[in-house]
Amino acid sequence: MAAPQTDLEKRKQISVRGIAQVENVGNVKKTFNRHLHYTLVKDRNEATPRDYYFALAHTIRDHLTSRWIRTQQHYYEKDPKRVYYLSLEYYMGRSLTNTMINLGIQSACDEALYQLGLDIEELESLEEDAGLGNGGLGRLAACFLDSMATLGMAAYGYGIRYEYGIFAQKIRNGEQVEEPDDWLRFGNPWEKARPEYMIPVNFYGRVEDTPQGKKWVDTQIVFAMPYDNPIPGYKNNVVNTMRLWSAKSPNNFNLKFFNDGDYIQAVLDRNFAENISRVLYPNDNFFEGKELRLKQEYFMVAATLQDIIRRFKASKFGSKDQVRTDFDTFPEKVALQLNDTHPSLAIPELMRILVDIEGLSWAKAWGICVKTCAYTNHTVLPEALERWPTSVLEHILPRHLQIIYEINHFHLQEVSKRWPGDMDRVRRMSLVEECGEKRINMAHLCIVGSHAVNGVAAIHSEIIKRDIFKDFEEMNPEKFQNKTNGITPRRWLLLCNPALADVIAEKIGEEWVVHLDQLTKLKPLAKDAGFIRAVQTAKQENKMRLAKQLEQDYGVKVNPSSMFDIQVKRIHEYKRQLLNCLHIITMYNRIKANPGAPFVPRTVMIGGKAAPGYHTAKQIIRLICAVGRVVNNDPIVGDKLKVVYLENYRVTLAEQIIPAADLSEQISTAGTEASGTGNMKFMLNGALTIGTLDGANIEMMEEMGKENIFIFGMTVEEVEELKRRGYNAHDYYNRLPELRQCIDQISSGFFSPSNPDQFKDLVNILMYHDRFFLFADFESYIKCQDSVNKLYQNPNDWTSKAIMNIASSGKFSSDRTIAQYGREIWGVEPSWEKLPAPHEPRDTDITREEAK
Ligand SMILES: *Cc1c(COP(=O)(O)O)cnc(C)c1O
């Protein structure tokens, strides 16, 4: 357990970790020992590393508590406009190191644990990831929470506390095997249950027409129990709240059975209701119309809106005894941001509350609803768009279906008024799709019910305007906006890459941590020999550390002086991991054809989870592993080429891999990847990108200049032209011998000798049904990879471009993204002011209970 000697020297260096204050170190040690004794009930003879992790987590949590309470009191006193981020996913990863960094106590904790003879990095590695997300969408929500707290916004993340997050991926015999993610098994030190604030949520039932209006009756109730999680801003004493709901059966659940005498069965059946928050659906960019998923979506939205309205009514300026009943000011006090259509039921639910419960007129309620809500679109892939059958909605949420029909009625009236007689337009713009099974188009509902609709990168925002939402843009052009995604520089540089963070801080100080634009100050250093060397040293350190980790965890040996060529993201046909695989096979064939020729050594690493029901994605994993087995065991290949499948890609693995990358693969078909955020993480960590003109890659190129990125393949216009002309994979197969060789090898069983037909489905897709035109980009991809090799042979030129990447990544801070959401959608200004620290006096001394 003792920390190795070499780390002492590192810790003593002046670094972005700061200098440990003696009094803080003493306090941390005292608090740590107290928690080990009183919270963990262990002494140092019995304590396990996990006990030490929990003692440390509780110690750090203590530093959050006063700031958390005082931040919420401050919001109560000042009553600023609240921002509510509604998301079915929060891909948070670990909290311990991030909390230490944002509170500014990392160096004190390092020193204290060192003095206690404990290895803090080992303890950090024992924390389970909070894997409550699938990929980019969920990680975006997590980055946004960090930025909203850092920008001092009165913001809340609302979501579901899944008992099981994204499954753990095992690779067994070259195949994905899923294991449930029992992340709460040892307890979660970062959450505070609030059983006293449970909220009822209704399902099923029927609608009654009464003289006072519609009433939703005979419903079944499930309770939503809130769990609050602290979200610390970076060194500003702000701690916001992420409130996650967990399903609880009411005590009288299935009383019917109880009265029939089957008490045991009544208790057992409580599980049914509590299944709502049991497990995250593991689909990324795919709509699976399951009833339980609809229940999750409504459960989250219904509990959240009740909570928001309670807080609105109880707010100070509504005055204590006279609760606020006037909803006119609601849009001035509340902003709701819908992360994709997953929380789209917020729109009919808010209408139901305002009309059926609060008694507002439809027109007034609708005005409030539209002014309050805003919707972020994340994809244009048709298979990802939520379209719930009306039959399912009618069964589970009968009143909401009526309200949706009513919204549609008024909406189509407007359409007809504007375009009289244009029945085709009315059909296209309807919230109700009538062809085949009758369905509600949830994106249409969101557009109609929101005052702002945004895409997540410039090209994506243009595509939604001129393609999938064209009719809506013609009707309300003022609604459509762009908000290019971003990532938090705290987690994605300061935390995950201290070596590079130190090299940067030595030259330009630390302001970049909260003003990432400051990185442009590195541009004059792109040709500075000393700085190039320092950046190279940091990268090499990160590569060696990853190589050591890979050998330790998986027994794979990689050469740390080879180029680390990395593609990590969910496995999806549109992301084109198969194109990467064709490049690997091409390199292999070239080595075999000419073993003596010079070759730039590469380690290609591919990682990512496939949705368990996505057959083609699972086949892609099998093929990559099969190719890897042949390549890695061929003595002729030797050290020139290695293929590694990175098991169980998740936030924590991303933090270890990305700082070690030389080359980042961002190779989706132009027009399919809405933004990407993985691309930004690599750029910030000094990897060069090989990519298509898709998503945020385009804006990355604009920021750094096209000489600093490897761009290949069709533009979105060329893809559209190819679709019009008709794509024929055989044209490319016949014309390109290297491509033909790859495909022939895959289809003849070269990589699967014991089962030659193993990959015939994949070959069939590529040759006959390829929606993503891999062969059309093959030639330009291979040529581009050749130019990558050429540059890699000149390390200083390579690193110079890497520095230009780092120096140009300021735009991709989620702080910039959130400031734009604040100013252009929410009507909330960022504030860089600090709240007073817990030991500092405040202007108003309050101990009011209402600040919850
Ligand atoms: C950033 C991130 C993603 C998103 O990656 P893309 O390449 O943008 O799809 C997915 N998963 C994890 C764990 C991430 O950290």
Side-chain angles (χ1 to χ4, degrees):
M1 282 300 290
Q5 278 299 311
T6 51
D7 276 7
L8 175 62
E9 274 156 17
K10 277 187 197 159
R11 201 172 289 113
K12 293 280 153 74
Q13 283 172 8
I14 297 175
S15 77
V16 285
R17 290 188 164 202
I19 300 161
Q21 237 92 77
V22 179
E23 96 202 79
N24 284 344
V25 174
N27 269 331
V28 170
K29 282 162 70 180
K30 247 199 321 226
T31 313
F32 178 92
N33 285 325
R34 186 165 50 76
H35 276 300
L36 190 63
H37 187 86
Y38 288 103
T39 310
L40 281 304
V41 197
K42 289 277 178 86
D43 65 30
R44 289 216 46 183
N45 297 316
E46 310 169 283
T48 63
R50 183 169 286 108
D51 293 320
Y52 291 131
Y53 158 71
F54 277 104
L56 179 57
H58 278 101
T59 303
I60 288 158
R61 202 181 89 147
D62 289 350
H63 286 255
L64 281 165
T65 306
S66 299
R67 290 176 173 89
W68 197 3
I69 290 172
R70 286 175 57 151
T71 299
Q72 302 311 311
Q73 287 173 342
H74 175 79
Y75 293 155
Y76 178 77
E77 284 300 311
K78 293 276 146 63
D79 196 34
K81 184 169 183 175
R82 306 311 209 275
V83 173
Y84 295 105
Y85 200 79
L86 272 60
S87 180
L88 268 286
E89 301 187 19
Y90 290 93
Y91 207 168
M92 303 295 282
R94 291 177 178 153
S95 289
L96 185 117
T97 314
N98 186 247
T99 306
M100 289 192 292
I101 288 175
N102 282 14
L103 294 180
I105 58 171
Q106 190 182 27
S107 54
C109 293
D110 279 358
E111 182 62 28
L113 275 274
Y114 178 75
Q115 289 182 15
L116 290 165
L118 297 170
D119 177 354
I120 194 165
E121 286 185 14
E122 186 199 346
L123 306 191
E124 287 166 349
S125 75
L126 292 171
E127 179 173 359
E128 301 272 349
D129 271 40
L132 309 185
N134 275 287
L137 174 147
R139 184 53 233 177
L140 185 77
C143 284
F144 280 5
L145 295 184
D146 181 87
S147 284
M148 291 188 288
T150 296
L151 296 193
M153 292 180 178
Y156 302 78
Y158 275 93
I160 294 176
R161 179 183 180 271
Y162 301 106
E163 196 177 323
Y164 293 87
I166 188 65
F167 63 85
Q169 178 194 55
K170 291 277 155 66
I171 303 294
R172 292 279 177 269
N173 301 317
E175 274 186 70
Q176 168 173 299
V177 176
E178 299 92 16
E179 282 183 3
D181 166 45
D182 193 5
W183 71 295
L184 295 167
R185 183 175 50 227
F186 298 106
N188 177 3
W190 306 110
E191 67 184 11
K192 178 70 190 86
R194 305 275 189 206
E196 68 276 27
Y197 304 140
M198 284 223 291
I199 286 179
V201 176
N202 296 279
F203 293 95
Y204 303 107
R206 59 193 174 81
V207 182
E208 224 173 56
D209 241 325
T210 75
Q212 293 82 260
K214 307 274 190 187
K215 272 185 81 175
W216 184 19
V217 297
D218 294 344
T219 56
Q220 294 181 32
I221 289 178
V222 178
F223 281 100
M225 167 134 73
Y227 284 76
D228 287 348
N229 298 256
I231 307 291
Y234 182 73
K235 293 184 180 174
N236 61 175
N237 299 316
V238 169
V239 180
N240 283 344
T241 300
M242 174 174 72
R243 180 162 278 188
L244 302 180
W245 302 106
S246 181
K248 286 289 283 177
S249 271
N251 259 334
N252 61 6
F253 189 76
N254 268 350
L255 204 61
K256 181 167 65 73
F257 286 110
F258 188 25
N259 292 341
D260 289 349
D262 199 345
Y263 160 74
I264 296 292
Q265 196 57 45
V267 174
L268 295 181
D269 286 351
R270 294 170 62 84
N271 279 320
F272 289 137
E274 294 175 3
N275 278 340
I276 288 176
S277 56
R278 194 77 68 204
V279 56
L280 168 73
Y281 274 90
N283 302 312
D284 187 68
N285 277 303
F286 185 76
F287 172 57
E288 188 186 346
K290 287 280 194 290
E291 257 189 48
L292 180 60
R293 168 69 180 198
L294 183 70
K295 286 184 189 165
Q296 289 182 340
E297 293 182 356
Y298 180 65
F299 173 75
M300 194 279 275
V301 152
T304 300
L305 277 174
Q306 288 183 66
D307 211 33
I308 290 171
I309 287 167
R310 175 197 53 75
R311 190 176 293 114
F312 171 75
K313 287 183 173 177
S315 72
K316 196 178 176 195
F317 297 105
S319 125
K320 193 173 179 322
D321 350 278
Q322 166 219 331
V323 290
R324 184 143 68 178
T325 51
D326 177 6
F327 281 88
D328 286 348
T329 59
F330 193 73
E332 286 139 53
K333 286 293 172 192
V334 174
L336 288 183
Q337 190 66 38
L338 310 181
N339 196 21
D340 212 316
T341 59
H342 312 153
S344 58
L345 288 165
I347 291 164
E349 174 68 359
L350 182 56
M351 289 300 288
R352 189 184 70 82
I353 294 170
L354 294 179
V355 174
D356 293 0
I357 299 175
E358 300 292 344
L360 273 65
S361 74
W362 180 274
K364 187 160 184 181
W366 184 245
I368 291 167
C369 178
V370 172
K371 271 193 249 172
T372 305
C373 294
Y375 155 58
T376 303
N377 172 272
H378 284 271
T379 179
V380 297
L381 293 182
E383 66 268 33
L385 301 178
E386 288 192 301
R387 294 148 63 247
W388 288 103
T390 53
S391 55
V392 178
L393 282 167
E394 184 161 38
H395 180 53
I396 296 174
L397 301 167
R399 178 61 184 136
H400 295 78
L401 183 61
Q402 284 185 346
I403 290 171
I404 292 168
Y405 283 145
E406 192 82 351
I407 293 170
N408 196 39
H409 171 78
F410 289 115
H411 160 60
L412 293 182
Q413 243 176 21
E414 292 295 312
V415 176
S416 306
K417 229 189 284 172
R418 178 88 187 268
W419 289 278
D422 191 345
M423 289 316 291
D424 201 52
R425 186 183 294 264
V426 167
R427 182 191 54 75
R428 290 196 309 268
M429 294 184 74
S430 178
L431 309 191
V432 186
E433 295 182 354
E434 306 269 7
C435 69
E437 191 178 15
K438 209 166 144 187
R439 291 165 180 274
I440 304 299
N441 184 315
M442 306 310 271
H444 291 186
L445 172 63
C446 285
I447 297 170
V448 171
S450 301
H451 70 283
V453 177
N454 75 282
V456 290
I459 184 184
H460 168 63
S461 298
E462 287 306 310
I463 289 172
I464 64 179
K465 282 196 287 184
R466 60 158 208 261
D467 201 20
I468 56 170
F469 303 144
K470 180 165 183 283
D471 295 317
F472 293 90
E473 198 270 345
E474 273 175 41
M475 186 155 147
N476 296 107
E478 75 288 349
K479 280 190 185 181
F480 287 81
Q481 300 194 20
N482 174 245
K483 294 288 167 282
T484 299
N485 281 167
I487 55 170
T488 170
R490 272 72 66 187
R491 184 175 294 264
W492 296 113
L493 180 51
L494 189 53
L495 180 154
C496 73
N497 199 344
L500 182 59
D502 268 350
V503 167
I504 295 170
E506 207 163 282
K507 292 290 180 191
I508 64 168
E510 289 174 43
E511 226 182 274
W512 59 267
V513 176
V514 283
H515 297 287
L516 201 65
D517 304 338
Q518 295 273 325
L519 292 178
T520 52
K521 289 184 178 169
L522 298 173
K523 282 185 182 169
L525 297 170
K527 296 253 151 86
D528 179 298
F531 190 63
I532 286 174
R533 212 172 318 114
V535 171
Q536 284 169 344
T537 306
K539 180 65 75 182
Q540 203 53 37
E541 225 178 85
N542 294 332
K543 288 173 73 175
M544 311 256 274
R545 168 176 304 199
L546 179 62
K548 207 171 125 191
Q549 194 81 35
L550 292 176
E551 177 153 19
Q552 232 175 56
D553 296 357
Y554 311 110
V556 289
K557 265 189 158 45
V558 304
N559 170 11
S561 61
S562 65
M563 181 200 305
F564 282 13
D565 168 352
I566 305 187
Q567 185 177 25
V568 281
K569 47 182 77 248
R570 287 299 290 254
I571 307 298
H572 210 296
E573 286 164 278
Y574 86 84
K575 292 175 183 278
R576 300 203 294 192
Q577 281 91 358
L578 272 181
L579 183 58
N580 190 344
C581 193
L582 294 178
H583 174 240
I584 297 171
I585 299 170
T586 303
M587 286 189 288
Y588 174 73
N589 290 334
R590 286 181 181 180
I591 294 170
K592 295 288 277 186
N594 206 345
F599 192 88
V600 181
R602 282 206 196 208
T603 303
V604 184
M605 304 183 210
I606 302 178
K609 293 172 185 176
Y614 188 174
H615 173 73
T616 304
K618 290 184 141 178
Q619 285 292 93
I620 292 170
I621 294 176
R622 287 182 124 171
L623 177 61
I624 295 163
C625 293
V627 170
R629 197 173 312 180
V630 170
V631 170
N632 298 345
N633 294 305
D634 191 326
I636 304 235
V637 173
D639 236 12
K640 291 177 178 157
L641 183 59
K642 282 275 172 290
V643 181
V644 178
Y645 200 91
L646 296 166
E647 187 180 80
N648 202 24
Y649 180 60
R650 62 199 188 284
V651 172
T652 292
L653 193 55
E655 290 166 8
Q656 293 161 4
I657 289 161
I658 292 169
D662 293 306
L663 186 66
S664 158
E665 301 266 355
Q666 307 297 336
I667 59 178
S668 54
T669 313
T672 63
E673 186 76 272
S675 165
T677 49
N679 46 5
M680 303 167 186
K681 298 169 197 166
F682 283 99
M683 180 185 181
L684 180 61
N685 282 276
L688 300 195
T689 296
I690 182 165
T692 48
L693 287 172
D694 198 18
N697 298 353
I698 297 174
E699 290 158 80
M700 285 163 47
M701 177 182 76
E702 286 168 2
E703 293 298 301
M704 71 177 96
K706 64 181 191 312
E707 66 281 8
N708 294 306
I709 184 167
F710 296 97
I711 295 291
F712 72 94
M714 295 175 287
T715 62
V716 72
E717 292 79 14
E718 287 164 346
V719 170
E720 276 157 16
E721 168 61 22
L722 179 60
K723 279 187 210 168
R724 274 193 296 275
R725 235 176 36 227
Y727 169 70
N728 185 355
H730 287 84
D731 297 347
Y732 305 91
Y733 173 87
N734 292 326
R735 185 163 61 78
L736 303 169
E738 290 194 301
L739 172 62
R740 189 164 59 241
Q741 188 185 1
C742 293
I743 299 303
D744 290 349
Q745 286 168 319
I746 298 170
S747 53
S748 69
F750 182 85
F751 299 109
S752 53
S754 62
N755 181 5
D757 286 344
Q758 173 92 80
F759 301 117
K760 69 173 199 303
D761 293 359
L762 286 183
V763 171
N764 186 47
I765 289 173
L766 289 175
M767 295 294 291
Y768 297 99
H769 317 282
D770 183 3
R771 298 168 58 206
F772 303 105
F773 316 118
L774 267 74
F775 292 3
D777 277 342
F778 176 82
E779 189 179 20
S780 111
Y781 180 53
I782 300 294
K783 282 198 176 130
C784 196
Q785 290 283 17
D786 293 339
S787 63
V788 169
N789 288 334
K790 204 169 152 208
L791 184 68
Y792 197 74
Q793 287 170 284
N794 193 333
N796 288 354
D797 289 355
W798 179 280
T799 305
S800 180
K801 288 183 197 293
I803 293 168
M804 289 304 292
N805 270 259
I806 298 164
S808 309
S809 57
K811 174 175 176 182
F812 305 103
S813 169
S814 47
D815 298 344
R816 185 272 311 153
T817 312
I818 285 300
Q820 289 181 330
Y821 275 92
R823 295 191 172 118
E824 298 162 22
I825 297 181
W826 304 329
V828 168
E829 272 296 307
S831 149
W832 294 101
E833 255 172 71
K834 273 190 182 185
L835 291 186
H839 59 274
E840 291 167 355
R842 296 178 280 189
D843 2 332
T844 46
D845 216 74
I846 53 155
T847 51
R848 299 273 299 263
E849 261 295 293
E850 293 90 333
K852 15 179 223 218

